[in-house]
Amino acid sequence: MARAISGLQYPERFYAAANYVGFDGSTSPTKALTSKFPKSTALLLYSLYKQATTGPCNTPEPSTWNIVEHSKWASWNQLGNMSSTEAMRLFVKLLEEEVPGWYSRASNSVVEPVIDVQINHNSKVEPVIENGNSYPETETIFSENGNQVRTEDKDVVVEGFGSVGVYDQWIAPPISGQRPKARYEHGAAVVQDKMYIYGGNHNGRYLSDLHVLDLRSWSWTKIEANAGTESIDSLSPVTQTPCAGHSLIAWENKLLSIAGHTKDPSESIQVKVFDVQTATWSTLKTYGKAPVSRGGQSVTLVGTSLVIFGGEDAKRTLLNDLHILDLETMTWDEIDAVGVPPSPRSDHAAAVHADRYLLIFGGGSHATCYNDLHVLDLQAMEWSRPTQSGEIPTPRAGHSGVTVGENWFIVGGGDNKSGVSETVVLNMSTLAWSVVTSVQGRVPVASEGLSVVVSSFNGEDVLVSFGGYNGRYNNEVYVLKPSHKSTLQSKIIESPIPESVSAVNNATNATRDVESEFEAGHEGKIREIVMDNVDPESTKSKDDLVSTLKAEKEGLESLLGKEKMQTLQLKQELADAEAHNSDLYKELQSVRGQLAAEESRCFKLEVKVVELGQKLQAIGTLQKELELLQRQKAASEQAALNAKQSQSSGGVWGWLTGSPPSQNDDA
């Protein structure tokens, strides 16, 4: 195993940074922090350190009278479920922004350990086994002209790639293992630092294979899935149907495959579940009316719900309907949102911002591609068409999108003529577009139907793309380290902070309330008045100047009071509107319940009518049979009567049968 001694990697670099800022086991780390950094920075460093070393905040909220402890708890609690590696990376990044030369100062007192260069930081290294023999896994390095330069341990090559300081550039990492078949319109998702690829389209044929790329060792493995159960309540085996245009979502260490085009499509959307631990497929049993089957839709995980929009059904009809699958109750619900929805489309991209706003971008119809942006408020269930700014992307379909903080990266796609070479990013808070990078030539990231996922590599976010079609089918992997990060303050501090640190954070907190901005603006106006009124050659006395300023201040305070009253009125109107909206929603739910009950009653009545009709038809048949029997009986009685008469009369019949004549005849 190769070894590295130059520079500290994670987590050693984080612990060195923590030791530098004062987390060295002392009894009062907060005092050491506040002596070196502003209060706002010290608060962020403390919360990131706790998140990295302890995990999410699970301690009870302290009393509000203890402002310092409550501020520390609130800052830590607002980090939510941020991963330990992400917290380490942000901790070091924040320290480097505050003290750029911290590492050179700390290195004089820190002994850099000689560590094994491994991505997963495990002491056990799995060798590559070929023909029953084990060999260290190596990677061959080639120069630009194709000549072999040297062969190194693969881990060294990967670590070298991970430490490259180049951002916003698509790079092909060294990949080992058997690559999946080239494809597009497949599904991709990340579970525990592993990217899973399922299904897709190759030369017009749908695929059903499943592959996994280990994002630590950058090696491919094909998964031989086991036949699972049809559903939780069934024991019949289920086999995966080849599909394309589906969506693959990671959920609770499982993979959900939703919808997609198949050779023999079902009537409604099917949701299949792959258990990564048992490598088995099963069908998710859902309730309610499932949407019609489709492909090219968008599926977005919002909390514990899946939001499905648009797509194209088996008859090539474009859709713009909206459905939600609650993963807690497994119940489908069709949403009739207000406002103007996006036009029917498929192969678009969707993302969620702040767990409330669903964004839809681009997509295409049978003849047109779009670059419009639509936003759905998931609380009010209302569509809107916001104004975009910056370098608005060109129309495209078949692109892929992933979010990193408040940034939405859009990769690839096409416009029915060629693939899109630009990778763009949308700041979902400001709705401003910008170009991240652009590729040259027929590169797989300028393809339609590619997949892009986001993962963490050495504490940094990394975009990973796979596959696509740009005149040929691709199976290459490319990665990009984005430099577009969410503002640390806006990412961590999303709610009002205690008054003890508000004065410090007002300088950096971009989410100050309207009242504070109004007061700050009028303080600036007062300063402008002072500057305008101070004339070196003026003969006005100091008392007159003070009186003028007091009058201006009183006027501004009066104006501020009016603005406050208007703000309170608007808040009250907003609260009333929300209450009215809530009442209307409850009334709508009640009406829906009544309609459902009436539908059920009508259905029961229709069943009874059919049953009565069948009974009437049976009665009519019985009546006809009775009449026929009565006629047969009458005919039988008449025949018996005639026979009796013939016997009594004798005549020719008696002579023919040889019966003696009756006594009456003798007489």
Side-chain angles (χ1 to χ4, degrees), residues 35-112:
S35 64
K36 294 182 180 180
F37 305 100
K39 292 182 179 179
S40 59
T41 304
L43 191 63
L44 291 179
L45 288 171
Y46 169 81
S47 57
L48 288 171
Y49 177 82
K50 296 293 289 183
Q51 188 80 7
T53 57
T54 307
C57 178
N58 294 320
T59 58
E61 181 178 359
S63 302
T64 55
W65 62 267
N66 192 336
I67 297 177
V68 175
E69 292 300 322
H70 188 274
S71 301
K72 290 160 61 178
W73 178 90
S75 179
W76 182 16
N77 185 62
Q78 287 166 2
L79 296 181
N81 293 323
M82 178 186 293
S83 65
S84 175
T85 56
E86 177 71 4
M88 288 183 181
R89 185 185 67 81
L90 291 177
F91 185 96
V92 175
K93 179 182 178 183
L94 181 59
L95 177 59
E96 289 175 348
E97 291 176 353
E98 293 292 330
V99 187
W102 76 270
Y103 183 71
S104 60
R105 302 176 189 176
S107 61
N108 295 329
S109 58
V110 176
V111 179
E112 296 182 358

Side-chain angles (χ1 to χ4, degrees), residues 219-338:
S219 60
W220 279 109
T221 304
K222 184 177 181 180
I223 298 179
E224 299 296 338
N226 302 318
T229 57
E230 185 176 354
S231 65
I232 298 176
D233 302 326
S234 174
L235 296 178
S236 58
V238 59
T239 57
Q240 273 306 93
T241 303
C243 62
H246 52 288
S247 301
L248 199 64
I249 303 294
W251 176 65
E252 293 185 352
N253 291 329
K254 294 180 176 63
L255 297 174
L256 302 181
S257 177
I258 303 102
H261 295 299
T262 58
K263 183 178 180 181
D264 298 315
S266 59
E267 294 183 359
S268 59
I269 283 181
Q270 300 292 316
V271 181
K272 302 295 180 66
V273 183
F274 179 76
D275 191 321
V276 299
Q277 295 180 350
T278 61
T280 55
W281 283 102
S282 59
T283 301
L284 189 66
K285 186 176 181 180
T286 60
Y287 303 90
K289 185 179 180 181
V292 66
S293 63
R294 66 194 66 196
Q297 71 291 325
S298 63
V299 179
T300 310
L301 181 62
V302 183
T304 59
S305 298
L306 295 178
V307 182
I308 293 91
F309 173 78
E312 183 181 21
D313 65 13
K315 299 179 181 179
R316 295 202 67 196
T317 302
L318 293 168
L319 308 168
N320 66 342
D321 52 346
L322 186 68
H323 300 264
I324 292 181
L325 175 61
D326 190 329
L327 295 176
E328 292 183 340
T329 62
M330 300 303 173
T331 305
W332 286 103
D333 189 13
E334 183 174 4
I335 305 301
D336 186 14
V338 300

Side-chain angles (χ1 to χ4, degrees), residues 108-243:
N108 295 329
S109 58
V110 176
V111 179
E112 296 182 358
V114 179
I115 58 173
D116 289 342
V117 182
Q118 299 179 37
I119 302 305
N120 54 11
H121 300 290
N122 293 330
S123 59
K124 182 179 180 181
V125 179
E126 298 292 338
V128 177
I129 300 177
E130 297 180 0
N131 301 325
N133 299 322
S134 62
Y135 301 95
E137 193 167 355
T138 60
E139 184 73 18
T140 303
I141 310 299
F142 294 90
S143 62
E144 294 182 358
N145 58 11
N147 296 326
Q148 181 175 339
V149 178
R150 65 188 183 277
T151 301
E152 295 183 353
D153 287 350
K154 180 179 67 62
D155 285 344
V156 176
V157 176
V158 175
E159 184 69 13
F161 167 76
S163 60
V164 169
V166 178
Y167 290 88
D168 300 334
Q169 295 292 332
W170 287 104
I171 300 173
I175 301 294
S176 63
Q178 184 178 0
R179 295 174 182 262
K181 181 182 293 184
R183 67 193 66 198
Y184 80 121
E185 292 184 341
H186 51 278
V190 173
V191 177
Q192 296 179 350
D193 294 328
K194 293 182 179 181
M195 180 177 71
Y196 291 82
I197 300 295
Y198 167 64
N201 191 328
H202 177 81
N203 290 334
R205 298 183 62 181
Y206 298 147
L207 305 173
S208 62
D209 52 345
L210 181 65
H211 300 260
V212 59
L213 176 64
D214 192 321
L215 298 178
R216 296 178 180 269
S217 62
W218 296 99
S219 60
W220 279 109
T221 304
K222 184 177 181 180
I223 298 179
E224 299 296 338
N226 302 318
T229 57
E230 185 176 354
S231 65
I232 298 176
D233 302 326
S234 174
L235 296 178
S236 58
V238 59
T239 57
Q240 273 306 93
T241 303
C243 62

Side-chain angles (χ1 to χ4, degrees), residues 411-463:
V411 184
D415 57 0
N416 294 326
K417 296 179 182 179
S418 61
V420 178
S421 60
E422 296 88 10
T423 297
V424 297
V425 60
L426 173 70
N427 186 299
M428 293 184 288
S429 297
T430 62
L431 296 181
W433 289 98
S434 58
V435 176
V436 178
T437 186
S438 181
V439 296
Q440 302 295 329
R442 186 179 289 183
V443 181
V445 293
S447 301
E448 296 184 28
L450 80 168
S451 64
V452 177
V453 298
V454 62
S455 183
S456 179
F457 191 93
N458 280 352
E460 293 187 282
D461 297 315
V462 176
L463 308 187

Side-chain angles (χ1 to χ4, degrees), residues 647 650-651 653-662:
Q647 290 178 358
W653 290 105
W655 179 81
L656 289 175
T657 58
S659 59
S662 62

